[in-house]
Amino acid sequence: FLQFKGLNVDSETLFKTLQTDFGISGDVKYHLGMTYQRQYPDGRKVELSLAANPSHLEAVDPVVIGKTRAKQYYMNDTEGNHSLPVLVHGDAAYCGQGVVYETTGMCNLPDYKTGGTVHIVVNNQVGFTTDPQQSRSTRYCTDLGKAFDCPIFHVNADDPEAVAYVFKMAAEYRQKYHSDVIIDVIGYRRNGHNEMDQPLFTQPKMYQVIKKTPNVLEKYTQVAINDGICDEAHVALVKNQVQQIYEEAFHLSTQPGMAKQNNDNEWIDSKWEGQKAIGEFSVRQPTRVDAEVLQKIGEVIFQPPEGFSPHRTIRNLVKSKLEMTRSGKGIDWGCAELLAYGSLLLEGK
């Protein structure tokens, strides 16, 4: 609420703070990331990280996959059993943005695979203002998954129990077969993309039907009451409890001093220990290496092993690199890079 009301910062010190604190962001609020630890009644803990997503659709996909792969590497999670990437897509963006295909195309490569990604497509059947038949050539927006033999589940967004069942099944499939899984949650967008966008202008017939359709909460409430799961009094109690939580959070956002108490860091998708803000410099670490050490590294990496005869082009290439390291002259980028890698390995890094 603080961010939506513009009260998450002290306006008097805003410009001064902007110079050193990257915690202030004017991006759309749901594009900001966050980190949260969920604990279950049995004591299990799950770390949830929402990556900060720029306004460019789907640009965050490879970032999420790469972050998951990095976590798995440092946890020695070779099968991807303990870290799971989840990507949430729009229907038009999923089949229209090339980065989706490019990212999925790496799902089984040895150096990039994560044990499977769960793709959740929030399918509102409208690409901003474009009908499906005018934006893609396939029957389903998720047909991309057929190129990678991914299981694809299509489920009615107005059936919460079916959605929960499909999500559970998709998670279990991913864990057992270590494959990407796609869930196509077919629903609709009740209101416009923003305050200036009126869907009745571009999809008048569809939105006349949507306007008369009860929302999913109303539908499921009626199902639960009819099935004897609960009564109207219990439904009203739960609604009031949730509303109370919102009201309390909203009230706190209006109190003086909340901007200082809320340091606006909860949106950081990974809270790194010792993390520096923009404008602050970390302590410089000594990275230089003596010339004699580099020469020794060059003698090792630029001389083929005994008994091995490389292609003459490769032989001439490594010979020139060896001459560079011995003379210290004409060292090109490629030579310097290999020497740097060698020095890190020599230091046990």
Side-chain angles (χ1 to χ4, degrees):
F1 285 118
L2 281 171
Q3 289 200 5
F4 276 101
K5 295 176 66 178
L7 299 175
N8 57 310
V9 293
D10 184 351
S11 59
E12 295 181 3
T13 58
L14 172 62
F15 296 106
K16 183 184 297 184
T17 307
L18 279 172
Q19 297 175 358
T20 58
D21 183 11
F22 58 90
I24 300 170
S25 174
D27 199 0
V28 180
K29 307 312 171 190
Y30 53 79
H31 288 175
L32 303 180
M34 69 169 296
T35 302
Y36 176 72
Q37 185 184 80
R38 181 183 180 90
Q39 184 168 353
Y40 290 88
D42 62 3
R44 289 178 299 137
K45 295 180 181 180
V46 178
E47 294 284 347
L48 302 173
S49 293
L50 176 67
N53 181 22
S55 295
H56 196 292
L57 297 175
E58 305 291 346
V60 77
D61 295 353
V63 176
V64 172
I65 304 300
K67 182 175 179 178
T68 305
R69 173 74 185 201
K71 284 181 176 291
Q72 292 172 349
Y73 175 84
Y74 286 109
M75 293 169 59
N76 197 28
D77 183 15
T78 56
E79 298 297 324
N81 291 323
H82 304 291
S83 294
L84 167 66
V86 178
L87 296 177
V88 181
H89 313 271
D91 53 318
Y94 185 78
C95 61
Q97 293 290 132
V99 68
V100 178
Y101 182 90
E102 294 165 357
T103 303
T104 311
M106 304 169 77
C107 65
N108 291 321
L109 300 184
D111 292 329
Y112 296 91
K113 64 181 181 180
T114 60
T117 299
V118 175
H119 300 265
I120 302 170
V121 180
V122 182
N123 187 348
N124 58 28
Q125 307 179 68
V126 179
F128 189 56
T129 58
T130 308
D131 289 323
Q133 62 267 27
Q134 295 174 325
S135 63
R136 65 173 185 265
S137 301
T138 58
R139 180 177 179 85
Y140 297 104
C141 65
T142 52
D143 282 341
L144 165 66
K146 295 178 179 178
F148 305 99
D149 291 330
C150 300
I152 304 171
F153 301 98
H154 305 281
V155 62
N156 180 6
D158 265 359
D159 187 344
E161 292 188 11
V163 172
Y165 180 83
V166 165
F167 272 59
K168 184 174 185 294
M169 183 164 51
E172 291 177 351
Y173 186 97
R174 184 269 179 189
Q175 287 298 94
K176 183 172 182 178
Y177 298 105
H178 300 290
S179 163
D180 277 31
V181 184
I182 303 171
I183 305 172
D184 182 16
V185 185
I186 303 174
Y188 51 86
R189 187 182 69 190
R190 184 170 292 272
N191 299 307
H193 183 78
N194 54 45
E195 290 80 357
M196 300 299 294
D197 172 29
Q198 174 52 269
L200 282 169
F201 298 158
T202 49
Q203 283 81 21
K205 291 183 177 180
M206 178 180 179
Y207 274 85
Q208 286 173 3
V209 175
I210 291 174
K211 189 176 182 179
K212 299 175 183 177
T213 302
N215 64 45
V216 63
L217 177 59
E218 294 170 344
K219 286 183 177 182
Y220 191 65
T221 296
Q222 198 58 51
V223 170
I225 293 173
N226 292 342
D227 289 349
I229 298 173
C230 62
D231 55 20
E232 293 184 3
H234 179 75
V235 172
L237 175 64
V238 173
K239 285 184 176 180
N240 289 335
Q241 288 175 339
V242 174
Q243 187 66 31
Q244 185 64 29
I245 293 173
Y246 293 153
E247 291 292 344
E248 289 176 359
F250 181 77
H251 176 71
L252 284 174
S253 72
T254 65
Q255 301 306 302
M258 279 300 295
K260 294 182 179 179
Q261 292 181 35
N262 177 22
N263 59 15
D264 208 38
N265 282 335
E266 74 274 5
W267 69 268
I268 299 176
D269 57 16
S270 292
K271 295 180 180 179
W272 299 341
E273 187 176 344
Q275 189 173 14
K276 297 292 183 180
I278 294 174
E280 295 181 5
F281 294 95
S282 300
V283 177
R284 290 191 177 184
Q285 303 295 330
T287 59
R288 64 181 296 278
V289 179
D290 291 337
E292 293 80 8
V293 175
L294 295 176
Q295 288 174 349
K296 289 180 180 179
I297 295 172
E299 294 291 332
V300 174
I301 65 176
F302 295 134
Q303 292 199 69
E306 188 176 347
F308 177 77
S309 180
H311 188 280
R312 62 177 180 273
T313 302
I314 301 297
R315 184 171 59 247
N316 292 334
L317 181 63
V318 295
K319 182 180 178 181
S320 67
K321 303 291 186 189
L322 183 60
E323 291 174 354
M324 291 177 189
T325 57
R326 286 176 173 175
S327 66
K329 298 179 181 179
I331 296 177
D332 58 24
W333 184 275
C335 179
E337 188 175 50
L338 291 171
L339 292 174
Y341 286 147
S343 68
L344 291 173
L345 292 172
L346 196 63
E347 294 172 1
K349 299 178 181 177

